[in-house]
Amino acid sequence: MTDEFQQGLARWNNQRLAPQFPTGDWQKLLERDLQMLRLEGGFLEELRSEVAERAAEAPTDVDGFIAWFEALQENGPGQNDPLFPWLAEEATREELSWFLEQETAGEAGFDDLVAYTQVKLPAAPKLELARNYWDEMGRGNPKGMHGPMLHGLIESLGLEPRIETTVWQSLALANAMTAMATTRRYAWHSVGALGAIELTAPGRSAATAAALKRLGFSGRDARYFNLHAVLDVKHSEDWNREALRPLVEEDPRRATAIAEGALIRLRCGERCFERYRAELWS
């Protein structure tokens, strides 16, 4: 996993997922996509191999699995990382800006990931992902859409996130999330990965919101992180009850795939935190 490889995957994802018009060279583009899909598949399988042993320990009975999954909030990779208390209490404006630039450049778009993942899911989980998506969309109010909230903060800071200046760990996180959501053989993995975000995001969001407040930013600027510090707690409870539980009840084999997806997401996050600390604390 190198800068060049992750940058290439990120550029390809940006291009292939953007709305487009038909072109005369579509067959050439298909050949490119096939090559990139093979590379993406190898990347995901490498990540799976890193977490497979731990994921295999996840129970496949419903109650046992939900307990195992919820425990990831404390014992999952990257949890309780010292980066976030430091951001909340000590980071300068420049250091926080660098952190946010890295996080935003590697942002895959939770709303789009949910939309891709819900395709052909069973009814109960599909409805839960739909409710989650509706929240991401501000329940129909453009001012309440989560994505634009984050981009508004980036504009306030005068940041310009770019693939070329983003550490590979952040790009790898976004590339992994995109791969799981857009590739149907990893659909259960994506459900687990998205559930892991809901489970673990509140603490990190609260720390980032505290940093923004300490540095004099308005509540409007910090709205995205203040919102996720609170809302994702309920989202996680609903996700585990309405999506994970019925999926594992219907087919216990899904527990292992969901566990792998969650651990992949958390391991990629852990790599980001380690790299951020190395850069910020050097």
Side-chain angles (χ1 to χ4, degrees):
M1 286 187 275
T2 63
D3 289 340
E4 184 178 359
F5 178 76
Q6 296 300 337
Q7 288 174 8
L9 272 184
R11 291 191 189 94
W12 173 63
N13 281 324
N14 287 344
Q15 292 167 2
R16 72 177 176 122
L17 299 180
Q20 300 175 41
F21 293 102
T23 63
D25 62 346
W26 62 270
Q27 290 176 311
K28 182 178 179 181
L29 293 176
L30 280 178
E31 293 173 0
R32 177 207 65 180
D33 288 347
L34 180 58
Q35 180 182 14
M36 294 302 295
L37 285 169
R38 288 197 179 103
L39 293 172
E40 180 187 68
F43 165 54
L44 267 188
E45 287 303 309
E46 183 178 341
L47 292 175
R48 282 188 65 214
S49 70
E50 293 180 13
V51 305
E53 184 175 352
R54 181 169 180 180
E57 297 172 357
T60 55
D61 67 284
V62 175
D63 290 337
F65 178 73
I66 295 299
W68 178 92
F69 191 91
E70 291 177 343
L72 292 174
Q73 186 174 12
E74 292 299 327
N75 63 30
Q79 297 314 291
N80 303 306
D81 193 283
L83 172 70
F84 292 93
W86 176 83
L87 286 172
E89 300 166 10
E90 300 182 43
T92 65
R93 180 187 176 107
E94 291 73 21
E95 289 165 338
L96 180 64
S97 294
W98 183 88
F99 164 78
L100 290 171
E101 193 168 60
Q102 295 296 312
E103 289 282 278
T104 307
E107 172 63 39
F110 196 89
D111 51 351
D112 291 338
L113 296 175
V114 170
Y116 274 110
T117 301
Q118 61 80 37
V119 174
K120 299 294 184 181
L121 287 189
K126 192 180 186 77
L127 283 169
E128 176 53 33
L129 269 66
R131 287 187 287 268
N132 194 295
Y133 179 81
W134 189 232
D135 279 349
E136 289 286 324
M137 292 291 100
R139 295 181 168 268
N141 181 354
K143 293 182 179 179
M145 292 174 66
H146 294 189
M149 284 185 201
L150 179 58
H151 291 302
L153 171 60
I154 297 306
E155 289 179 359
S156 294
L157 287 165
L159 305 181
E160 297 181 5
R162 301 196 313 273
I163 288 174
E164 296 76 17
T165 57
T166 303
V167 298
W168 71 260
Q169 291 88 347
S170 181
L171 296 176
L173 172 55
N175 289 335
M177 293 299 299
T178 301
M180 287 186 282
T182 59
T183 309
R184 299 318 288 163
R185 67 179 179 274
Y186 298 111
W188 311 125
H189 289 74
S190 186
V191 171
L194 292 169
I197 293 176
E198 301 285 30
L199 180 71
T200 63
R204 296 193 300 273
S205 296
T208 307
L212 289 165
K213 182 178 180 180
R214 175 176 57 81
L215 291 169
F217 288 89
S218 69
R220 180 182 179 85
D221 286 331
R223 187 181 176 198
Y224 174 87
F225 292 102
N226 282 323
L227 181 66
H228 283 272
V230 176
L231 186 62
D232 283 352
V233 175
K234 183 179 186 303
H235 276 173
S236 179
E237 294 171 353
D238 293 345
W239 193 280
N240 296 350
R241 183 183 64 254
E242 303 294 337
L244 300 189
R245 180 172 286 276
L247 286 175
V248 175
E249 280 180 343
E250 186 177 75
D251 186 348
R253 294 177 302 170
R254 295 170 184 163
T256 303
I258 291 169
E260 286 185 356
L263 290 170
I264 286 172
R265 168 60 182 84
L266 296 178
R267 177 64 184 118
C268 286
E270 182 180 50
R271 281 199 175 104
C272 288
F273 309 153
E274 291 169 350
R275 177 64 183 274
Y276 296 165
R277 282 190 276 106
E279 296 287 338
L280 292 167
W281 296 0
S282 60

